Amino acid sequence: MAHQTDWYAEHAALTLSRITPRLLPILPATPDRDVFLERLNRHLEPLFRLTHQLYGDQYDFFYQFEQLIHGLARAFLERSPALRQLDASRESEPAWFQHQTMMGAVCYVDRFAGNLQGIRNRIPYFKELGLTYLHLMPLFKVPERNNDGGYAVSSFRDVNPALGTMAELETLTDDLRAHGISLVLDFVFNHTSDEHEWARKAQAGDKTYQAYYWLFDDRTLPDEYERHLREIFPEHAPGSFTFREDMQKWVWTTFYPFQWDLNYRNPEVFRDMLGEILFLANRGVDVLRLDAVPFVWKELGTNCENLPQAHWIIQALNAAVQIVCPSLLFKSEAIVHPRDVRSYIGGHESQLSYNPILMVSIWEALATRETALFRHTMNKHFALNADCAWINYLRSHDDIGWGFADEDAAEIGINGYDHRYFLNLFYTGRFPGSFAAGLPFNFNPRTMDMRISGTLASLAGLETAIQAHDDSLIQLAIDRILMMFGVILSAGGIPLIYLGDELGTLNDYSYANNPETAQDNRWVHRPVADPERWLRRTQDDSIEGRIFQPLRRMIAIRKRTPQFANGQTRFIDVGNGHLLGFVRREQLLVLANFSEKPQSPSIDALRQAGFDPLDTVDLLTERPVLTPLALEAAPYQMMWLVRRST
Ligand code: OTU
């Protein structure tokens, strides 16, 4: 091993000294050239090592590597002065995304605002909410039908004409940045649509582009692979391969038949996808959400998820980004076992990651009214290195799957299989007393597994409460929703709101009448924004206002409270299983009541956990906590307790 490290260090150094003089003619002699060369010097070794691990068996590896570096230099030259300045300022302040002012939201361009111009018109609303991070879901060119809500991309360099143009996207990026909002876009890099130029060429018989995908003449290998693969959409896209009549070949399609998995064993795929990243970075994108990271490398005899090479690919892309455009961050989208979720996070891999572990724990505790598994799971999986951050969310445009670890559950006496069964019943409203109105997503009769579709409000009980015309149930649902928001606003990381949830948007069952969406019930929780609902946010007595206004206030409090900066979060036992407790930066205690009954923590337990709750003030109610009585939490109440300043 030591020998190997030496070999890489030595050859990286040799390669650098060979390449550098040949780069000088294409890099004008400006101070920026030194910046580039300095970064190249710093990051060439990992880039060399990782690409060699992946593609070192290619006869022309060294030639290709030099071409790659030339590509980086060209991308650097194309980068605007403003973006180079941003690179410099973020390099000097790498913790910029750890600030408590960070506040995120996500939406579909068309469903939320019609088109890019509509998004631009919403900037005042984003500011009203306090956003600094806006994730616009895939807005690239896609097939008219069969596009999986944008996740089947036909061109990474063209905006979907129905939404706008690349020029408009660049203007929007500038405008957002001028208002302190970073733009997050998806990089759907596991697959392309079958209408992407590469796929089209492959269909026409072009061998070069057939090698960009996984094609098979018969079922022999697909059968071999499938013995170990998980089905992602078993109901409507069973299996992982699709037969193409036009080519008389089987194509690897992990997701839908029209989403063709790219073959990263082919170095040209790596090279070209890196090119797409740099193109987007130079348009001013701040964060790329790496879609479906677990699946990008395949190996016969494995489940083809989370393989070491998948990490090398992301790390190599990251090293290239550090050289050309270090202000760009990666966010990994790995909705897998907690251990595997974490494996993608690192300054040298993805600086940001969705936090499905927290998301699932919140819903789990909401159903059980018990926080034991929540706390246990967080103690094992929450802590991150200081150069990374969680994206804490309550739901996304996707389904919710019960991704806690069976072994974690077993450690506290919970059977994972049974628990999932219960949660599925609960969130599809089939468990007695359930408040949730979710739909079962992709039930797999072979494994009995399913996931859940539904908006935040519908899953948290607002829909059933409204149907029952019961004001007290409506109030409980609102309190539940606010408490859940409170958790993602106070746990370490960047909170992310699915736009519409801040107004209590309910499930939209009309997806079932549209043949385009009827097969995929995730559309139940992706409704088109309702302007009426939006206007009602300012009415104190409307349901929208009763969610929006307190939420907005909580966001404002978060943003002015330095104890909410960075990720440091210690989950503690507060001596009452219905309450969740965690300490931020050893200075702020969060208490959240996950039940519909009043609950009190144990002062002794809190003191033992190192936080004396007396003589604090609750930032949310502004009331001082001077006696144990003041610590009694009403149903679904949340408290943010800080020591009283004298
Ligand atoms: C992602 O989700 C996207 O978020 C989905 O909207 C897409 O349909 C899909 O990729 C294909 O592009 O399985 O149920 O561990 O769980 O990538 C959603 C990652 C998914 C996968 C996740 C995937």
Side-chain angles (χ1 to χ4, degrees), residues 369 476 480 576 578-579 592-600 632-637:
R369 283 79 161 172
L476 269 186
R480 227 177 253 132
N576 177 337
H578 305 296
L579 294 173
N593 183 355
F594 274 76
S595 80
E596 51 271 86
K597 303 229 165 65
Q599 305 290 346
S600 296
E632 186 185 88
Y636 299 112
Q637 190 186 342

Side-chain angles (χ1 to χ4, degrees), residues 6-7 165 172 192 275 287 350 359 361 379 453 457 548 553 605 607:
D6 291 350
W7 188 89
T165 63
L172 175 66
T192 72
V287 180
S350 296
M359 187 269 287
S361 296
N379 281 333
S453 289
F548 181 81
R553 190 169 158 267
R607 286 189 177 140

Side-chain angles (χ1 to χ4, degrees), residues 629-641:
L629 218 57
L631 281 169
E632 186 185 88
Y636 299 112
Q637 190 186 342
M638 157 158 274
M639 298 182 194
W640 289 349
L641 305 176

Side-chain angles (χ1 to χ4, degrees), residues 111 510-523:
R111 307 207 136 227
S510 69
Y511 80 94
N513 309 325
N514 178 348
E516 296 283 307
T517 52
Q519 300 282 304
D520 188 331
N521 70 25
R522 288 177 297 175
W523 290 101

Side-chain angles (χ1 to χ4, degrees), residues 108 137 148-152 186 188 190-191 230 232-233 255-256 259 289-295 305-306 333-336 354 396-399 441-442 451 520 522 526:
Y108 287 102
M137 275 184 283
D148 189 20
Y151 286 90
D186 287 82
V188 186
N190 174 68
H191 45 267
R230 185 162 68 99
I232 307 302
F233 298 145
F255 297 94
Y256 282 113
Q259 288 166 314
R289 169 196 181 275
L290 302 181
D291 183 61
V293 290
F295 302 94
E305 289 185 51
N306 310 302
E333 191 253 351
I335 313 301
V336 283
Y354 278 101
S396 70
H397 66 294
D398 284 332
D399 46 285
F441 179 71
N442 271 283
R451 285 108 76 189
D520 188 331
R522 288 177 297 175
R526 302 166 174 178

Side-chain angles (χ1 to χ4, degrees), residues 563-613:
Q563 288 90 340
F564 286 136
N566 79 37
Q568 203 196 320
T569 308
R570 190 161 61 83
F571 290 83
I572 60 172
D573 182 354
V574 304
N576 177 337
H578 305 296
L579 294 173
L580 178 75
F582 54 89
V583 181
R584 293 302 320 279
R585 307 185 73 187
E586 298 307 322
Q587 298 160 28
L588 188 154
L589 173 67
V590 174
L591 286 176
N593 183 355
F594 274 76
S595 80
E596 51 271 86
K597 303 229 165 65
Q599 305 290 346
S600 296
S602 141
I603 305 268
D604 284 346
L606 287 171
R607 286 189 177 140
Q608 252 168 39
F611 196 98
D612 191 335

Side-chain angles (χ1 to χ4, degrees), residues 193-196 198-207 210 215-217 242-251 253 257-258 260:
S193 106
D194 60 355
E195 293 188 13
H196 190 286
W198 303 338
R200 290 266 200 225
K201 287 185 175 158
Q203 286 150 28
D206 186 328
K207 293 272 180 278
Q210 291 193 344
L215 302 179
F216 305 91
D217 291 331
T242 301
F243 188 68
R244 290 287 299 209
E245 288 290 344
D246 51 352
M247 304 163 78
Q248 291 293 306
K249 284 184 197 296
W250 291 88
V251 189
T253 56
F258 49 84
W260 288 21

